[in-house]
Amino acid sequence: MFYIPVAFTFSVLISAIYGNPIHKRVDQIIDLSTQPWENACGEAGGGDLCNSLSVSGFGFLLAAADPCAQQNASDSMIDLAKKLNHHREMIRLTQIFAQQPRNSNTGQAVPYCQIPPRNHELNGLYQCQFESVNFQNFEGNLKPGSPGTIPYGLTAPVNPPGSCYANPSGPIPDGVQLVTITQNPGVDNVSGSSTNGNDTLSATTSYAAAPTANPASNHSPGNPNDGDDGSATAFISSAKGASFTSWTSLRSTLVRGAHH
Ligand SMILES: *[C@@H]1O[C@H](CO)[C@@H](O)[C@H](O)[C@H]1NC(C)=O
Ligand SMILES: *[C@@H]1O[C@H](CO)[C@@H](O)[C@H](O)[C@H]1NC(C)=O
Ligand SMILES: *[C@@H]1O[C@H](CO)[C@@H](O)[C@H](O)[C@H]1NC(C)=O
């Protein structure tokens, strides 16, 4: 027998009444965000810290993470790079990770951190946003221009909405990793800051071409109907609910939990 699913009719009804409030969860395969950094870190001799900082870093891309958690994780990644002889590749990859869009469970734009980073290499950087989020309505129902919707250090909303220094032309396609579409963190364009100190890369550095492979080819982004809300809370509870023999098993468990 043919029937129209209840959820579908309900959405259409709500849509007819309120315009277009159907919120689409926007997410990504979070562990891909720090994988190149983790590889560079391993080559630089960072040992077990590479995986642990990588795991804690990508966990903060999940929805409901504190707006500054991604920046703080990036600071820890820069700290390690500095201990490893100011490893330029790790610094560059951290600068890109710091700008990776975060998940949104509500389909709304994700608020920006309102405190400065500890490391000058991250000065002025803020996350891009995924292209399908609602830029007129940030999480918490904040309108553009209200506190939290303008990155620390700026005085006006990001223009174009959803852009960042690594991708100044606009937001990032849903689910895509910034590090697969650019190798240039764009720090030369950060104005009025010392982001581009002499231990970071300069405008004249040539960058390897970004890989063209679809980053999600071997994965499928989370299914909004599969019961996993892709949130930081779910990530943390999946970590608490299991026992681990090593960071690697913790990582694979968390990654599975975050994917499914
Ligand atoms: C981030 O780090 C700052 C100190 O640099 C601290 O005050 C703040 O509570 C941290 N926030 C999170 C979410 O870790
Ligand atoms: C920085 O700005 C210049 C000039 O506006 C632009 O050509 C360049 O592409 C920007 N850098 C990045 C990484 O987009
Ligand atoms: C720049 O390079 C000089 C000499 O190599 C070094 O002493 C200084 O600390 C560097 N500055 C920054 C901001 O890293």
Side-chain angles (χ1 to χ4, degrees):
M1 186 170 76
F2 177 76
Y3 63 94
I4 298 171
V6 173
F8 174 75
T9 51
F10 181 71
S11 299
V12 170
L13 179 65
I14 297 291
S15 185
I17 296 171
Y18 294 107
N20 184 22
I22 301 173
H23 297 313
K24 181 173 167 284
R25 171 180 148 196
V26 187
D27 66 5
Q28 62 192 304
I29 309 298
I30 52 174
D31 60 310
L32 296 178
S33 64
T34 51
Q35 208 166 67
W37 181 89
E38 190 178 333
N39 294 343
C41 179
E43 284 165 22
D48 291 347
L49 283 173
C50 301
N51 183 249
S52 57
L53 291 183
S54 171
V55 171
S56 52
F58 69 61
F60 294 130
L61 298 179
L62 292 169
D66 183 281
C68 294
Q70 179 180 9
Q71 176 174 285
N72 282 12
S74 303
D75 264 323
S76 301
M77 291 159 74
I78 297 278
D79 290 342
L80 181 56
K82 287 184 168 175
K83 285 191 188 117
L84 298 171
N85 245 335
H86 278 62
H87 198 270
R88 289 160 64 101
E89 182 69 351
M90 287 171 68
I91 291 172
R92 179 184 71 83
L93 290 166
T94 306
Q95 289 169 328
I96 293 177
F97 168 72
Q99 300 177 74
Q100 174 62 26
R102 294 207 289 275
N103 289 1
S104 172
N105 274 347
T106 58
Q108 295 169 308
V110 178
Y112 300 99
C113 181
Q114 298 300 315
I115 58 171
R118 284 187 291 101
N119 288 290
H120 75 85
E121 290 81 357
L122 299 173
N123 280 353
L125 301 181
Y126 49 84
Q127 83 273 9
C128 262
Q129 309 264 356
F130 286 130
E131 67 186 7
S132 78
V133 302
N134 182 351
F135 296 111
Q136 295 313 312
N137 209 356
F138 280 67
E139 286 175 353
N141 293 320
L142 304 170
K143 298 298 168 204
S146 52
T149 66
I150 299 175
Y152 176 83
L154 298 185
T155 54
V158 173
N159 184 26
S163 65
C164 59
Y165 287 104
N167 196 73
S169 59
I172 306 302
D174 291 357
V176 166
Q177 293 301 322
L178 201 43
V179 72
T180 67
I181 58 175
T182 184
Q183 295 302 306
N184 185 348
V187 293
D188 298 316
N189 287 347
V190 177
S191 58
S193 84
S194 57
T195 308
N196 187 27
N198 59 359
D199 56 358
T200 64
L201 300 177
S202 77
T204 53
T205 309
S206 57
Y207 297 94
T212 51
N214 175 356
S217 57
N218 295 323
H219 305 266
S220 60
N223 176 339
N225 302 317
D226 60 9
D228 158 34
D229 67 358
S231 73
T233 320
F235 178 83
I236 290 160
S237 58
S238 77
K240 284 184 182 149
S243 62
F244 306 99
T245 52
S246 68
W247 268 109
T248 308
S249 70
L250 168 63
R251 175 176 188 273
S252 58
T253 302
L254 292 177
V255 170
R256 273 201 309 281
H259 285 179
H260 294 175

